[in-house]
């Protein structure tokens, strides 16, 4: 798990620290799905990374994993939340929401509601 976590760290090398959805593990080059609101990162994906990397830091004793995902929370806390909800897409280059649509659903998505 630690080896995979280390290989995923280059995904966070964006101007905002919001990770890319797709990462070439060999080259370390990341990108997002082209259909995701102009290449934005997807809330459900980086929200899930938050849970996984926090747990990985705890188990491994390596704080770098937690630091990467705590930056996600800092970025989210600085942004406005339309209708009190996080939109589905966030541009990792600009730090601005992509489409301002909010999906309210019962699912495993960890960050649907603002706190």
């Amino acid at each position: 798990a630690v080896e995979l976590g280390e290989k995923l760290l280059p995904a966070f090398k964006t101007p905002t620290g919001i990770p890319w959805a797709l990462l070439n593990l060999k080259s370390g080059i990341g990108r997002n799905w082209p259909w995701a609101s102009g290449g934005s990162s997807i809330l459900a994906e980086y929200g899930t990374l938050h849970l996984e990397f926090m747990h990985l830091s705890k188990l491994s004793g390596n704080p770098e994993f937690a630091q990467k995902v705590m930056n996600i929370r800092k970025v989210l806390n600085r942004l406005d939340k339309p209708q009190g909800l996080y939109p589905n897409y966030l541009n990792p280059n600009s730090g601005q929401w992509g489409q301002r649509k909010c999906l309210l659903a019962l699912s495993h998505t960890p960050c649907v509601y603002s706190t």
Side-chain angles (χ1 to χ4, degrees):
V2 172
E3 183 180 345
L4 178 58
E6 289 170 349
K7 288 182 183 242
L8 292 174
L9 288 175
F12 292 87
K13 290 184 182 176
T14 66
T16 60
I18 298 296
W20 298 112
L22 305 169
L23 181 71
N24 181 315
L25 294 177
K26 189 172 183 178
S27 69
I29 296 173
R31 65 181 179 87
N32 280 334
W33 300 104
W35 53 261
S37 188
S40 290
S41 296
I42 302 170
L43 176 67
E45 292 178 351
Y46 59 81
T48 298
L49 271 178
H50 189 278
L51 293 173
E52 294 167 350
F53 271 44
M54 290 298 288
H55 192 64
L56 186 56
S57 266
K58 183 178 178 182
L59 293 177
S60 70
N62 182 347
E64 184 175 13
F65 302 114
Q67 291 165 354
K68 293 292 185 189
V69 295
M70 286 308 294
N71 180 65
I72 294 171
R73 186 154 308 273
K74 288 178 186 175
V75 170
L76 291 176
N77 285 340
R78 286 193 298 259
L79 295 171
D80 68 309
K81 292 153 197 73
Q83 293 97 36
L85 299 172
Y86 294 108
N88 297 328
Y89 303 107
L90 181 61
N91 186 299
N93 291 311
S94 69
Q96 299 299 310
W97 296 120
Q99 294 176 352
R100 290 183 153 293
K101 294 180 182 175
C102 298
L103 177 64
L104 185 60
L106 298 175
S107 72
H108 67 280
T109 303
C111 298
V112 175
Y113 309 99
S114 63
T115 55

